[in-house]
Amino acid sequence: MDPFSAEGELLTVHNAFHQGQYQAVLDFDTSSLSQSNAIPARVLKLRAQIATGDAQGAISNSQKEKGPDYTAVKAFAQYSSGDNAAATKQIEQLLESSSENATVQILGGIILQANGRTEEALSLLSKHQGNLEA
């Protein structure tokens, strides 16, 4: 089942995020989501936290999380809080091992573009596999 179809678990939280309803995303109960949608939902919640201006909180909330999705979110939070050099370095390292990851592609593309590296950002985003956000 497509997680973003009308029956999909992520549809509500995904739509709320892209409509700028960040508080609704943060309040969304993800405890009943399937295992396969737990990470994408958590990433959206962390990105919503960053969007509300709490990048440091997102870093703290994801400190114990492992995997490329969370590393990309931490880099994006660093970028959002003004630590562009650290964010860029972290994304560059992540791209060496996880450039096929959707979260890495999206957040890495944003960070690369913000650094004036448009061609690299577009190249990274072109690797997506059916991700409408990329």
Side-chain angles (χ1 to χ4, degrees):
M1 173 174 68
D2 178 6
F4 297 111
S5 70
E7 304 84 31
E9 294 179 313
L10 292 177
L11 183 64
T12 302
V13 70
H14 187 262
N15 284 343
F17 179 83
H18 288 289
Q19 292 170 0
Q21 299 173 2
Y22 302 122
Q23 192 58 50
V25 174
L26 292 170
D27 294 340
F28 189 81
D29 179 17
T30 59
S31 63
S32 64
L33 294 180
S34 67
Q35 184 73 12
S36 64
N37 288 327
I39 291 175
R42 179 80 172 123
V43 166
L44 285 171
K45 289 184 94 156
L46 290 167
R47 289 178 64 194
Q49 189 172 8
I50 294 165
T52 61
D54 189 14
Q56 291 304 316
I59 292 170
S60 295
N61 288 337
S62 61
Q63 242 3 358
K64 294 181 181 175
E65 309 285 358
K66 303 289 184 217
D69 293 279
Y70 298 113
T71 304
V73 168
K74 289 174 203 169
F76 185 65
Q78 288 175 320
Y79 162 74
S80 297
S81 63
D83 193 354
N84 197 18
T88 303
K89 182 179 179 182
Q90 194 165 28
I91 279 296
E92 287 171 341
Q93 291 171 346
L94 195 54
L95 290 176
E96 292 176 14
S97 62
S98 302
S99 65
E100 298 298 321
N101 178 286
T103 303
V104 172
Q105 291 171 348
I106 294 162
L107 299 181
I110 292 169
I111 292 169
L112 290 172
Q113 170 57 31
N115 283 297
R117 296 164 62 178
T118 304
E119 293 303 318
E120 289 176 76
L122 290 173
S123 175
L124 175 62
L125 292 170
S126 71
K127 295 178 180 182
H128 77 88
Q129 297 291 319
N131 185 332
L132 297 178
E133 193 173 359

Short mmCIF file of all heavy atoms in Angstrom, two decimals, residues 3 9-10 13 28 30-46 65 69-70:
data_model
loop_
_atom_site.label_atom_id
_atom_site.label_comp_id
_atom_site.label_asym_id
_atom_site.label_seq_id
_atom_site.Cartn_x
_atom_site.Cartn_y
_atom_site.Cartn_z
N PRO A 3 1.92 4.65 1.18
CA PRO A 3 1.66 5.35 2.43
C PRO A 3 1.03 6.73 2.25
O PRO A 3 0.49 7.30 3.18
CB PRO A 3 3.04 5.47 3.09
CG PRO A 3 4.00 5.33 1.98
CD PRO A 3 3.34 4.46 0.95
N GLU A 9 -1.27 5.77 5.85
CA GLU A 9 -1.08 6.24 7.22
C GLU A 9 -0.45 7.63 7.30
O GLU A 9 -0.74 8.38 8.22
CB GLU A 9 -0.17 5.27 7.97
CG GLU A 9 -0.71 3.91 8.19
CD GLU A 9 0.29 3.02 8.92
OE1 GLU A 9 1.48 3.00 8.55
OE2 GLU A 9 -0.14 2.38 9.88
N LEU A 10 0.41 7.94 6.36
CA LEU A 10 1.16 9.19 6.43
C LEU A 10 0.45 10.37 5.77
O LEU A 10 0.93 11.50 5.88
CB LEU A 10 2.53 9.02 5.77
CG LEU A 10 3.51 8.12 6.48
CD1 LEU A 10 4.79 8.00 5.67
CD2 LEU A 10 3.81 8.63 7.86
N VAL A 13 -0.43 13.49 8.22
CA VAL A 13 0.74 14.19 8.74
C VAL A 13 1.55 14.81 7.61
O VAL A 13 2.07 15.93 7.74
CB VAL A 13 1.58 13.28 9.66
CG1 VAL A 13 2.30 12.20 8.90
CG2 VAL A 13 2.56 14.09 10.48
N PHE A 28 0.48 15.18 16.19
CA PHE A 28 -0.02 13.95 15.57
C PHE A 28 0.48 12.72 16.34
O PHE A 28 1.67 12.60 16.63
CB PHE A 28 0.46 13.89 14.12
CG PHE A 28 -0.16 12.78 13.32
CD1 PHE A 28 -1.43 12.91 12.78
CD2 PHE A 28 0.53 11.60 13.10
CE1 PHE A 28 -1.99 11.89 12.03
CE2 PHE A 28 -0.03 10.57 12.36
CZ PHE A 28 -1.30 10.72 11.83
N THR A 30 1.69 9.26 16.50
CA THR A 30 2.31 8.31 15.57
C THR A 30 2.44 6.91 16.17
O THR A 30 2.98 6.02 15.53
CB THR A 30 3.71 8.80 15.16
OG1 THR A 30 4.51 8.96 16.33
CG2 THR A 30 3.63 10.12 14.40
N SER A 31 1.91 6.71 17.35
CA SER A 31 2.09 5.42 18.04
C SER A 31 1.41 4.26 17.32
O SER A 31 1.84 3.11 17.46
CB SER A 31 1.59 5.51 19.48
OG SER A 31 0.20 5.77 19.50
N SER A 32 0.39 4.53 16.53
CA SER A 32 -0.33 3.45 15.86
C SER A 32 0.17 3.18 14.44
O SER A 32 -0.36 2.31 13.75
CB SER A 32 -1.83 3.75 15.82
OG SER A 32 -2.06 4.92 15.04
N LEU A 33 1.18 3.92 14.00
CA LEU A 33 1.68 3.74 12.64
C LEU A 33 2.45 2.43 12.52
O LEU A 33 3.05 1.95 13.47
CB LEU A 33 2.59 4.89 12.25
CG LEU A 33 1.96 6.27 12.12
CD1 LEU A 33 3.01 7.29 11.72
CD2 LEU A 33 0.82 6.27 11.13
N SER A 34 2.45 1.90 11.31
CA SER A 34 3.21 0.68 11.05
C SER A 34 4.70 0.97 11.18
O SER A 34 5.14 2.12 11.09
CB SER A 34 2.90 0.16 9.65
OG SER A 34 3.39 1.06 8.69
N GLN A 35 5.46 -0.07 11.35
CA GLN A 35 6.92 0.04 11.50
C GLN A 35 7.54 0.76 10.30
O GLN A 35 8.44 1.58 10.45
CB GLN A 35 7.53 -1.35 11.66
CG GLN A 35 9.01 -1.36 11.91
CD GLN A 35 9.36 -0.89 13.32
OE1 GLN A 35 8.50 -0.78 14.18
NE2 GLN A 35 10.63 -0.62 13.54
N SER A 36 7.04 0.47 9.10
CA SER A 36 7.63 1.05 7.89
C SER A 36 7.37 2.56 7.78
O SER A 36 8.09 3.26 7.07
CB SER A 36 7.10 0.34 6.65
OG SER A 36 5.71 0.53 6.53
N ASN A 37 6.36 3.06 8.47
CA ASN A 37 6.05 4.49 8.41
C ASN A 37 6.50 5.25 9.64
O ASN A 37 6.35 6.47 9.70
CB ASN A 37 4.55 4.69 8.20
CG ASN A 37 4.12 4.31 6.81
OD1 ASN A 37 4.88 4.48 5.86
ND2 ASN A 37 2.93 3.78 6.67
N ALA A 38 7.07 4.56 10.61
CA ALA A 38 7.48 5.21 11.85
C ALA A 38 8.60 6.23 11.61
O ALA A 38 8.54 7.35 12.13
CB ALA A 38 7.91 4.17 12.88
N ILE A 39 9.60 5.86 10.83
CA ILE A 39 10.71 6.78 10.59
C ILE A 39 10.26 7.98 9.76
O ILE A 39 10.55 9.12 10.14
CB ILE A 39 11.93 6.07 9.96
CG1 ILE A 39 12.55 5.12 10.98
CG2 ILE A 39 12.97 7.08 9.47
CD1 ILE A 39 13.68 4.27 10.45
N PRO A 40 9.54 7.79 8.63
CA PRO A 40 9.09 8.97 7.89
C PRO A 40 8.23 9.92 8.73
O PRO A 40 8.35 11.14 8.61
CB PRO A 40 8.29 8.38 6.73
CG PRO A 40 8.84 7.02 6.53
CD PRO A 40 9.22 6.55 7.91
N ALA A 41 7.39 9.38 9.58
CA ALA A 41 6.56 10.22 10.45
C ALA A 41 7.42 10.97 11.46
O ALA A 41 7.21 12.17 11.70
CB ALA A 41 5.51 9.38 11.16
N ARG A 42 8.39 10.29 12.03
CA ARG A 42 9.29 10.92 13.00
C ARG A 42 10.10 12.02 12.33
O ARG A 42 10.31 13.09 12.90
CB ARG A 42 10.22 9.85 13.61
CG ARG A 42 11.20 10.38 14.59
CD ARG A 42 10.59 10.60 15.95
NE ARG A 42 11.63 10.94 16.91
CZ ARG A 42 11.63 12.05 17.62
NH1 ARG A 42 10.62 12.87 17.55
NH2 ARG A 42 12.62 12.30 18.44
N VAL A 43 10.55 11.78 11.11
CA VAL A 43 11.30 12.80 10.37
C VAL A 43 10.43 14.03 10.12
O VAL A 43 10.88 15.16 10.30
CB VAL A 43 11.84 12.21 9.04
CG1 VAL A 43 12.31 13.31 8.10
CG2 VAL A 43 12.97 11.24 9.33
N LEU A 44 9.17 13.82 9.74
CA LEU A 44 8.27 14.95 9.52
C LEU A 44 8.06 15.73 10.81
O LEU A 44 8.01 16.96 10.80
CB LEU A 44 6.93 14.48 8.95
CG LEU A 44 6.95 14.07 7.49
CD1 LEU A 44 5.64 13.42 7.09
CD2 LEU A 44 7.25 15.27 6.59
N LYS A 45 7.94 15.03 11.94
CA LYS A 45 7.76 15.71 13.21
C LYS A 45 9.01 16.54 13.57
O LYS A 45 8.90 17.67 14.04
CB LYS A 45 7.44 14.70 14.32
CG LYS A 45 6.04 14.11 14.19
CD LYS A 45 5.70 13.20 15.32
CE LYS A 45 4.98 14.02 16.34
NZ LYS A 45 4.12 13.29 17.24
N LEU A 46 10.18 15.98 13.34
CA LEU A 46 11.41 16.72 13.62
C LEU A 46 11.56 17.92 12.69
O LEU A 46 11.97 19.01 13.12
CB LEU A 46 12.62 15.80 13.51
CG LEU A 46 12.74 14.75 14.60
CD1 LEU A 46 13.78 13.69 14.23
CD2 LEU A 46 13.09 15.39 15.95
N GLU A 65 18.76 8.82 18.17
CA GLU A 65 18.29 8.13 16.97
C GLU A 65 19.47 7.82 16.07
O GLU A 65 20.39 8.62 15.93
CB GLU A 65 17.28 9.00 16.22
CG GLU A 65 16.14 9.53 17.07
CD GLU A 65 15.10 8.51 17.41
OE1 GLU A 65 15.21 7.34 16.96
OE2 GLU A 65 14.16 8.85 18.14
N ASP A 69 18.47 8.93 8.02
CA ASP A 69 17.36 9.88 8.10
C ASP A 69 17.61 10.88 9.22
O ASP A 69 17.46 12.10 9.03
CB ASP A 69 16.04 9.14 8.34
CG ASP A 69 15.62 8.29 7.17
OD1 ASP A 69 15.07 8.84 6.21
OD2 ASP A 69 15.88 7.07 7.21
N TYR A 70 17.97 10.36 10.38
CA TYR A 70 18.17 11.22 11.55
C TYR A 70 19.43 12.05 11.44
O TYR A 70 19.46 13.21 11.90
CB TYR A 70 18.16 10.38 12.82
CG TYR A 70 16.83 9.69 13.02
CD1 TYR A 70 16.74 8.31 12.94
CD2 TYR A 70 15.67 10.42 13.24
CE1 TYR A 70 15.52 7.67 13.10
CE2 TYR A 70 14.44 9.79 13.40
CZ TYR A 70 14.38 8.42 13.32
OH TYR A 70 13.16 7.80 13.47
#
